Amino acid sequence: MSELLGADGVARCSWGNSTPDYVDYHDKEWGVPLHGQDELYERLCLESFQSGLSWITILRKREGFRKAFKRFKPEKVAKFGDADVERLMQDASIVRNRAKILAAIRNAQAIAALDVPLDDLLWSFAPSSHRRPKTMADVPAITDESKAMAKELKKRGFVFLGPTTCYALMQATGMVDDHVEGCFRAS
């Protein structure tokens, strides 16, 4: 339990104590059930941009991403063209990775083509039961549900969303609760 205690005396998942930004994100956002097309599209994009990078990088650039991607309104991002891609490639307030930028645009277009609300689609993969991890070492990177989500998203035209990214999305949006035993957020 003592390894879970932050400098403020609050027991958290170990990563949640590492920086003030993580404390705030851990305490107020990570693992909280999230719904809504724009909100979930934002998380899809941010998790994709995080691939290969530290989450703190994305967290600290979040407002830049929100401005650059029109507050994550998929109907607006779906219309981005070559000039927008070049503008984004010059925008130091975001991660400037052409493949990830193109994926955000492609995924906005895929949302427009859905025959079911994005919220319903993503939440259909939330497991009916989930075992609370004892330690961070017990937290999986991939689950059967995240593999199924990635497969379905790919089938529907989404890109840059593999099983690991999908599981991170599931954790961040409360589809699974991976707060470890002893963390004050563990419900």
Side-chain angles (χ1 to χ4, degrees):
M1 176 73 160
S2 62
E3 69 275 0
L4 296 178
L5 288 179
D8 57 2
V10 176
R12 294 182 182 84
C13 301
S14 57
W15 65 268
N17 287 317
S18 60
T19 72
D21 293 323
Y22 274 163
V23 169
D24 190 55
Y25 179 68
H26 173 276
D27 291 2
K28 297 177 184 170
E29 203 171 342
W30 192 73
V32 174
L34 182 70
H35 294 277
Q37 175 180 272
D38 299 353
E39 294 82 356
L40 289 168
Y41 172 61
E42 175 179 347
R43 292 302 183 76
L44 278 172
C45 289
L46 295 179
E47 294 295 346
S48 291
F49 272 96
Q50 185 272 325
S51 184
L53 302 171
S54 169
W55 179 246
I56 198 71
T57 301
I58 303 305
L59 203 53
R60 290 178 176 161
K61 289 182 174 276
R62 192 177 204 179
E63 281 308 312
F65 277 110
R66 285 177 172 160
K67 288 177 187 165
F69 287 95
K70 308 289 184 193
R71 311 300 301 169
F72 290 102
K73 302 283 185 204
E75 63 277 5
K76 292 182 179 182
V77 178
K79 296 176 184 172
F80 280 14
D82 293 343
D84 295 295
V85 172
E86 292 312 313
R87 171 183 55 83
L88 294 169
M89 286 297 295
Q90 301 306 313
D91 188 342
S93 73
I94 67 167
V95 172
R96 295 175 286 183
N97 178 301
R98 187 174 301 274
K100 293 176 182 182
I101 290 167
L102 292 171
I105 297 166
R106 177 66 197 114
N107 292 342
Q109 294 164 346
I111 290 169
L114 289 176
D115 58 353
V116 60
L118 180 64
D119 202 303
D120 293 349
L121 175 64
L122 295 178
W123 276 87
S124 73
F125 295 97
S128 57
S129 65
H130 182 70
R131 186 184 321 247
R132 173 148 331 276
K134 290 183 188 298
T135 69
M136 291 310 297
D138 298 326
V139 176
I142 295 172
T143 63
D144 290 343
E145 293 86 359
S146 74
K147 289 179 199 173
M149 179 189 280
K151 184 177 179 181
E152 182 64 21
L153 290 174
K154 182 177 181 179
K155 185 173 101 177
R156 290 175 175 266
F158 288 80
V159 295
F160 229 96
L161 294 165
T164 302
T165 301
C166 285
Y167 193 68
L169 172 76
M170 294 172 85
Q171 293 172 302
T173 60
M175 293 177 204
V176 295
D177 178 359
D178 274 342
H179 287 283
V180 298
E181 286 182 11
C183 173
F184 88 98
R185 289 284 319 283
S187 56

